[in-house]
Amino acid sequence: MAALATAALVACGGGGSGGGGGGLPIGWVPAPGPGAGVTEPTPNPHPPTPSPAPTPITASYKYLSFEQNRDPDTDTAEKRFDDYIALLNREGAAGYRYLEGEAGGNIVRLQDRFMMVKDTETTYRYEYKRLTYDIMQTTAIQALLQQAKTQGAQGMVLLKILAPIDLNNNLDPEFAVLYRKDLGAASTYDVTAELYATTSTDYVNRANAQGANGYRPWATPFLVNQGGYQFFLKDMGSAARYDLKAVISPLSVVGGNLDDLKAQIREQGAQGYRVLKNRFLEDGKDFYFYVKDTTQSSTFEYEFLDNPDPLFGLQEANAAQANAQTANGLRYFGVPDSPLFFRSLACTGPLCLSPDQTETSNQN
């Protein structure tokens, strides 16, 4: 029974990690493709230092870890999850928002190595909800969507699938799903879903149809035998409208290199598009997706840094690096194997802040 739950968890990636599906593995290039945006060449991927000097930002990044095994003789199935949520709520009460992590486990174990950020004057509350997962049925994603809608109406946003809590009477694993509430805002949310597109054109068309109604790409939950879906999130009190574009990554074309990719990202930022995530699609070509709030005239500037600890994934050194960059007006975007930092100009709203991994990952 434990093996069944563990296998299901492995298949769903442990809730999404800072590597693989988690956002921005740097190393591809732009070229025209069917339905994709075409990027004009940018001659200098290393722009000069901004003048005047950038204004420092107020943000504090923190790395934490949690690891707990269940003692079946003394511990309830929920104890390790309750203890994990208690840790998050202590940090949330101090204003820290869960940013990205490597949560996972099985019906005995729960662990997470994660980064949090305090970048707005607010506090947060975290909780988890159970989700029953019958691997022989195709109802779990629909149940997750309905759960996210119900939670959203109470001001809670879906963050990730954590790990199985236990097996129910039917021997189906019951997973814990993490949610967060901003206690300084009266926002409520709606969540909708689309089947995950098989081409960049379809993905962009579906995202833009949702974006015109104020929905932006959010979670991309994955559970074995449940189909692929893109969830979209709407802040019911926001007037924001979103536009998405896809551009072929340079390493998908002969001669493309890392500098070409940096140039692409910077060029899109100057046009008001913040990088969203990358996705393998269409005849072996990789695409980068970019998102823009069309109700404002924001622009984005980017810096690409070396990973201070490239061998072991997300570490304390990543938080230290992020804190050092706040003096340069830069916020952490991710990912631990190739850190990307950005500066937002003339910007308000969620696209201006360090994004949740839930938004930037291809797997939650």
Side-chain angles (χ1 to χ4, degrees), residues 6 35 37 60 102 124 138 146 164 183 222 243 254 272 286 315 330:
T6 303
S60 172
E102 300 175 353
Y124 300 95
T138 57
Q146 186 56 54
L183 296 177
F222 176 75
D243 183 68
V254 175
D286 290 285
Q315 296 289 325
L330 293 168

Side-chain angles (χ1 to χ4, degrees), residues 135-291:
I135 198 171
M136 302 306 293
Q137 302 293 325
T138 57
T139 58
I141 292 293
Q142 287 73 22
L144 177 62
L145 175 61
Q146 186 56 54
Q147 183 185 88
K149 282 178 171 289
T150 300
Q151 289 289 93
Q154 300 172 36
M156 307 289 294
V157 295
L158 167 68
L159 293 186
K160 62 166 58 183
I161 300 169
L162 291 171
I165 298 175
D166 204 354
L167 302 178
N168 63 20
N169 291 334
N170 296 324
L171 303 184
D172 295 323
E174 293 187 338
F175 280 77
V177 183
L178 181 63
Y179 290 88
R180 178 187 65 226
K181 181 179 177 66
D182 182 343
L183 296 177
S187 299
T188 59
Y189 303 90
D190 187 36
V191 183
T192 188
E194 298 266 6
L195 281 169
Y196 208 102
T198 57
T199 69
S200 63
T201 301
D202 286 346
Y203 184 90
V204 169
N205 288 342
R206 294 177 194 185
N208 283 336
Q210 297 290 345
N213 293 316
Y215 291 83
R216 62 191 176 102
W218 192 239
T220 312
F222 176 75
L223 292 167
V224 171
N225 199 36
Q226 301 298 303
Y229 287 85
Q230 173 70 62
F231 282 22
F232 295 86
L233 178 73
K234 179 177 182 177
D235 182 336
M236 301 302 288
S238 172
R241 297 295 182 265
Y242 298 100
D243 183 68
L244 197 91
K245 67 162 64 173
V247 187
I248 295 179
S249 168
L251 286 193
S252 292
V253 248
V254 175
N257 57 44
L258 184 58
D259 280 349
D260 293 329
L261 176 62
K262 293 177 181 179
Q264 178 192 113
I265 293 173
R266 286 184 166 124
E267 181 183 7
Q268 295 301 321
Q271 297 176 24
Y273 286 87
R274 200 210 65 191
V275 68
L276 178 64
K277 59 184 175 181
N278 70 282
R279 179 74 175 179
F280 175 86
L281 291 169
E282 299 172 43
D283 300 324
K285 294 183 175 65
D286 290 285
F287 286 78
Y288 270 86
F289 294 121
Y290 298 86
V291 63

Side-chain angles (χ1 to χ4, degrees), residues 39 57 127 159 202 303:
T39 304
I57 60 168
E127 65 180 45
L159 293 186
D202 286 346
E303 296 297 335

